[in-house]
Amino acid sequence: MTFGVDHAGPDESRRAAGLVAAQEKAVALFDETAARGLVAPGVGEREVSDRIRDLANEMFGTTKHWHKRIIRSGPNTLLPYRENPPDRTIGEDDVAFADFGPIFEEYEADFGRTYAFRDDPHKHRLLDDLPRIFDAGRAFFAADPAITGRRLHAEVERLAREAGWEIGIWHAGHLVGEFPHEVNDGAKAESYITPENDTPLRRTDKAGRTCHWILEIHLVDRARGFGCFYEQLLDLA
């Protein structure tokens, strides 16, 4: 594995453009999801997931997803990705989040957003903090060419704690690329933004390709029983 900043050639420029284009489609999908009110109280999480899947097929043709489609609401929003809670109907005063990994032109997107219903000030404060903490984490990454997964995770954790929240998962992001991607698991710390990853995030993989990253922010208020979620590309657009 090669460390340091890779000098992008034509192939790497094409890869980066493919990942950005995939995310742009994911943004369009989630914007249309919000416009149509697909994530709404009174609807089951699985039904909402199917609605968004069907909308993706309508907008872009039949889509594949590189990880399970997640809609979480109410207390389910406290749970990390690997949990599989029973289906739940979204409540009138809930927050709910969507975490989808659609594949466009064989490039993976990984995109997450949160929706709040009614006017609970604590839920809306957490919702407002998500993009702010994301942007601060991205700025911290941009300022340090040699930053490791450990350092970025520590900064995200600090930002969350400073705002009065906890981090809800064991990492703050992961590699993203072509599909089928190299399988990531908890034992492979270098694939994640985690305290166990002491390798530089700006590096190339064993195939010589530049590593690209998703920044994943899952913040929780355990005392009040809810969490919020936000993720998208860290090192590209």
Side-chain angles (χ1 to χ4, degrees), residues 18-20 22-23 66 101-110 174-182 214 233:
L19 287 167
V20 170
Q23 177 163 288
W66 70 274
I103 301 161
F104 301 110
E105 305 296 333
E106 302 308 314
Y107 286 97
E108 303 164 351
D110 204 357
H174 54 80
L175 288 169
V176 69
E178 295 84 356
F179 183 84
H181 61 287
E182 185 175 351
I214 292 289
L233 285 167

Side-chain angles (χ1 to χ4, degrees), residues 133-134 137 149-157 167-175 191-195 201 213-218 229-232 234:
I133 290 174
F134 181 96
R150 179 194 293 272
R151 287 202 66 215
L152 182 53
H153 186 277
E155 177 63 9
V156 170
E157 191 170 46
I167 292 180
I169 48 177
W170 57 273
H171 66 87
H174 54 80
L175 288 169
S191 297
Y192 290 90
I193 300 169
T194 177
L201 297 180
W213 296 89
I214 292 289
L215 184 60
E216 185 170 337
I217 309 294
H218 183 201
F229 185 80
Y230 190 101
E231 74 172 332
Q232 62 187 58
L234 167 65

Side-chain angles (χ1 to χ4, degrees), residues 78-214:
L78 294 171
L79 300 175
Y81 168 83
R82 292 183 179 179
E83 297 293 328
N84 294 293
D87 190 26
R88 181 181 183 278
T89 298
I90 299 172
E92 294 288 339
D93 195 36
D94 277 346
V95 290
F97 68 70
D99 175 10
F100 275 52
I103 301 161
F104 301 110
E105 305 296 333
E106 302 308 314
Y107 286 97
E108 303 164 351
D110 204 357
F111 202 77
R113 289 294 186 267
T114 301
Y115 308 84
F117 311 106
R118 293 192 176 173
D119 299 316
D120 184 303
H122 301 290
K123 292 172 181 174
H124 281 275
R125 184 170 77 84
L126 181 50
L127 194 64
D128 291 343
D129 278 345
L130 283 169
R132 181 183 64 77
I133 290 174
F134 181 96
D135 289 344
R138 174 182 270 181
F140 191 78
F141 168 84
D144 183 357
I147 194 168
T148 64
R150 179 194 293 272
R151 287 202 66 215
L152 182 53
H153 186 277
E155 177 63 9
V156 170
E157 191 170 46
R158 186 193 69 79
L159 290 164
R161 185 171 59 250
E162 183 178 74
W165 313 114
E166 294 180 50
I167 292 180
I169 48 177
W170 57 273
H171 66 87
H174 54 80
L175 288 169
V176 69
E178 295 84 356
F179 183 84
H181 61 287
E182 185 175 351
V183 175
N184 297 335
D185 58 37
K188 193 173 181 183
E190 67 196 40
S191 297
Y192 290 90
I193 300 169
T194 177
E196 288 71 37
N197 185 0
D198 280 322
T199 59
L201 297 180
R202 291 180 180 87
R203 64 177 194 267
T204 55
D205 65 17
K206 61 186 180 184
R209 299 171 301 193
T210 299
C211 292
H212 295 297
W213 296 89
I214 292 289

